[in-house]
Amino acid sequence: MTTDSDSKDTPEPDGVPDGFVRHTRSSPLTAPWEPLYARTTTDAVMLGLRIREAHTNSRGLAHGALITALADNAMGYSCGLKLGGGARLLTASLAIDFIGPAKIGQWLQIEPEVIKVGAKLCVAQCFVTADGTRCARANGTFSVVKAKG
């Protein structure tokens, strides 16, 4: 995946990696998880957050539903980016594999890649990392719905 800069994901003093800014597309589902951060490149919209207790399951690890929803969002946003706007995307299929834990205090980052863009479907995949170590992988297929107007 290409990025807009060659900088490493070295944390800034506030713990947010370089290039990430506050994510501006809040939804009722993601609002309680704020602050969320995004880094947009020419190829993808990456999402990230610092894992807090509110993001965890009863074992104190990042909840699978959080990881799944953010992966879905990042892949959908990335497909929208590649489509150039003007279309809505609806998740048609989503699969995720959990590879390892993500713990409180770690930086959770979703790194999507758009595989195919078509007139009716868009396919993407992503890796999810916790402090740079892969903790999940996901793939999604999105139905392209042309905007009315």
Side-chain angles (χ1 to χ4, degrees):
M1 183 178 325
T2 60
T3 60
D4 290 341
S5 69
D6 293 329
S7 68
K8 300 281 183 203
D9 286 342
T10 52
E12 295 176 353
D14 61 0
V16 176
D18 288 338
F20 279 86
V21 297
R22 286 294 299 266
H23 184 51
T24 58
R25 291 192 61 184
S26 182
S27 74
L29 176 69
T30 61
W33 302 339
E34 293 290 343
L36 293 175
Y37 296 89
R39 179 169 69 187
T40 302
T41 69
T42 56
D43 294 319
V45 178
M46 291 176 250
L47 296 177
L49 61 73
R50 182 72 52 197
I51 300 171
R52 299 185 325 271
E53 186 177 2
H55 302 133
T56 63
N57 59 25
S58 62
R59 294 182 186 95
L61 302 173
H63 198 287
L66 169 93
I67 293 170
T68 302
L70 292 177
D72 181 34
N73 280 353
M75 290 186 292
Y77 292 147
S78 296
C79 285
L81 178 72
K82 294 303 261 184
L83 285 165
R88 291 184 354 204
L89 294 159
L90 300 173
T91 306
S93 174
L94 180 66
I96 190 159
D97 298 305
F98 297 101
I99 302 165
K103 301 173 184 172
I104 291 174
Q106 290 185 305
W107 175 257
L108 187 76
Q109 185 166 311
I110 296 83
E111 303 172 5
E113 176 186 13
V114 176
I115 304 299
K116 180 165 178 56
V117 176
K120 296 191 183 267
L121 292 175
C122 187
V123 179
Q125 66 182 7
C126 71
F127 284 108
V128 182
T129 60
D131 283 349
T133 300
R134 287 183 179 165
C135 64
R137 67 177 178 183
N139 59 69
T141 302
F142 301 85
S143 295
V144 178
V145 180
K146 297 294 179 189
K148 295 179 182 178

